[in-house]
Amino acid sequence: MTSQTPSPSTDSTPGKQRGHTRRRVIFGLGTAAVVTGVGVRRWLRTPAKEPDTTPFADYFTGRAPVMSEPNVHTEHVSTKSWGVRTFLTLEENTSVDDAIALIQSAHTDLAASVEGLDHATVIIDWRSPGADGEGLYTAIDVDLVRPHAELDLQCERLRVATGLNQGTISAITIPLETDEAIGISHIETDSLPADAVLSPPAATDGTTLAYEDRLGIGNTSLTINATSDVDLSGVPLDAMLAALPGGAEDPSREPIVKLDAVGPGYADGLPAIDIYEQDLTLDEAEPILRAFNGAAGPHAIRIQATEAEMRFLLTDGVLTADPSWHGAEEETAELLGRL
């Protein structure tokens, strides 16, 4: 009797085995993708846990020169993100060095507590004796999540700004974003104060700093937007302010003046002087424009009279009409003809 060896099953052929293997791999990958997708969606839907504010409150409570209990609260940024905001009031007459030391130490000591947060802003303010009854108000915002270099720049901006005060500055504010202007406010005076921000300093490393200075000169509201790389000290502000209507003779007149070295100006990106008074006549505009005649410049000047907006260029002491402006051409020519 002859034995017969059974033929191999067709299912065990190499081609079939590879086909089954490929199907199993594809099925497995598809299943993994579904499971992964479900996991991602579940993760996205699962809100992040609200952070514990205790480390911030404990850190600042009783720490010199903090005067009162810190006010700490959380901020829900998104489903997966939280921030913490801390408000601090420092002791009166706190030195800039002490305020900076507090900021720098908090950035180091709270490094573990800010990990994973969207932001950990600290808003600090304090008062010091000043020229008026309320004294000097100083405020600075910092974010402990951001790099140490940015924190250093914030502290440098604080140090530079407080060094400007010669007795008539009433408030200094350092906003959180380092590209935003340092805020300066003055007490009301009858003439331009010596510490008006016309030629402000840069940071010690040469970084350009921007400033916004708000002043009340008699009845005139004056805003100076300055940068450390543009010198505005040559602008004849004293003569221009003296030429404005109002003052004791007519206290109802309230001129508005803006000196802007930051914006584009009205022509060729020049620093601009914007003068507005709602009832200004051409006769009253004449001495205002004359105050600039002979000044070095270059500046762009806009004077808004009752029914005319006139624009001029001042270059090397010579006033001319702004060729890019085609309004009030007759009034502009008339004023220039009077000089």
Side-chain angles (χ1 to χ4, degrees), residues 261-317:
V262 178
Y266 303 116
D268 301 326
L270 298 176
I273 301 100
D274 192 353
I275 302 161
Y276 170 78
E277 206 284 327
Q278 62 179 0
D279 298 319
L280 190 69
T281 66
L282 279 181
D283 287 341
E284 291 172 329
E286 178 185 341
I288 297 172
L289 186 62
R290 192 180 297 278
F292 293 97
N293 198 26
H299 300 304
I301 301 167
R302 179 170 70 170
I303 300 177
Q304 299 184 67
T306 305
E307 296 182 355
E309 179 179 315
M310 297 165 288
R311 299 186 182 185
F312 308 88
L313 298 181
L314 173 63
T315 307
D316 296 328

Side-chain angles (χ1 to χ4, degrees), residues 163-183:
L164 297 173
N165 188 21
Q166 297 182 30
T168 63
I169 292 179
S170 61
I172 296 170
T173 57
I174 313 297
L176 179 62
E177 303 302 332
T178 55
D179 59 351
E180 290 185 17
I182 297 168

Side-chain angles (χ1 to χ4, degrees), residues 203-224:
T204 52
D205 65 356
T207 300
T208 298
L209 300 180
Y211 303 78
E212 182 179 76
D213 190 5
R214 296 185 177 273
L215 307 97
I217 313 295
N219 292 350
T220 300
S221 296
L222 171 62
T223 301
I224 303 172

Side-chain angles (χ1 to χ4, degrees), residues 29-311:
L29 290 174
T31 303
V34 170
V35 172
T36 302
V38 171
V40 169
R41 288 194 296 272
R42 184 176 298 164
W43 178 84
L44 289 173
R45 289 197 302 266
T46 304
K49 184 180 179 182
E50 184 175 2
D52 182 12
T53 60
T54 303
F56 300 91
D58 288 348
Y59 182 80
F60 290 112
T61 298
R63 181 176 293 270
V66 178
M67 180 174 68
S68 57
E69 291 293 318
N71 180 1
V72 188
H73 61 83
T74 57
E75 294 184 329
H76 197 190
V77 179
S78 68
T79 304
K80 306 301 296 182
S81 181
W82 286 85
V84 172
R85 190 175 295 268
T86 304
F87 295 86
L88 301 176
T89 298
L90 306 187
E91 298 171 353
E92 289 190 11
N93 209 25
T94 293
S95 70
V96 173
D97 288 340
D98 287 345
I100 290 176
L102 175 68
I103 294 169
Q104 296 282 9
S105 62
H107 188 270
T108 300
D109 298 341
L110 291 173
S113 299
V114 306
E115 194 170 330
L117 294 177
D118 176 80
H119 60 269
T121 50
V122 184
I123 296 92
I124 303 171
D125 64 12
W126 71 97
R127 291 192 175 277
S128 304
D132 62 349
E134 295 185 0
L136 173 65
Y137 172 82
T138 306
I140 180 172
D141 295 0
V142 297
D143 187 351
L144 302 181
V145 170
R146 299 189 184 185
H148 204 284
E150 186 171 329
L151 193 82
D152 288 342
L153 180 55
Q154 280 292 80
C155 294
E156 173 70 2
R157 297 207 303 161
L158 174 64
R159 193 185 302 279
V160 170
T162 53
L164 297 173
N165 188 21
Q166 297 182 30
T168 63
I169 292 179
S170 61
I172 296 170
T173 57
I174 313 297
L176 179 62
E177 303 302 332
T178 55
D179 59 351
E180 290 185 17
I182 297 168
I184 306 288
S185 296
H186 280 75
I187 62 174
E188 294 186 0
T189 56
D190 294 326
S191 59
L192 189 69
D195 49 11
V197 182
L198 294 172
S199 183
T204 52
D205 65 356
T207 300
T208 298
L209 300 180
Y211 303 78
E212 182 179 76
D213 190 5
R214 296 185 177 273
L215 307 97
I217 313 295
N219 292 350
T220 300
S221 296
L222 171 62
T223 301
I224 303 172
N225 289 330
T227 60
S228 55
D229 58 349
V230 178
D231 187 358
L232 299 174
S233 60
V235 178
L237 280 179
D238 284 319
M240 184 271 295
L241 291 168
L244 292 172
E249 298 176 358
D250 190 354
S252 65
R253 308 287 291 272
E254 297 180 346
I256 299 172
V257 178
K258 184 176 182 180
L259 175 56
D260 189 357
V262 178
Y266 303 116
D268 301 326
L270 298 176
I273 301 100
D274 192 353
I275 302 161
Y276 170 78
E277 206 284 327
Q278 62 179 0
D279 298 319
L280 190 69
T281 66
L282 279 181
D283 287 341
E284 291 172 329
E286 178 185 341
I288 297 172
L289 186 62
R290 192 180 297 278
F292 293 97
N293 198 26
H299 300 304
I301 301 167
R302 179 170 70 170
I303 300 177
Q304 299 184 67
T306 305
E307 296 182 355
E309 179 179 315
M310 297 165 288
R311 299 186 182 185

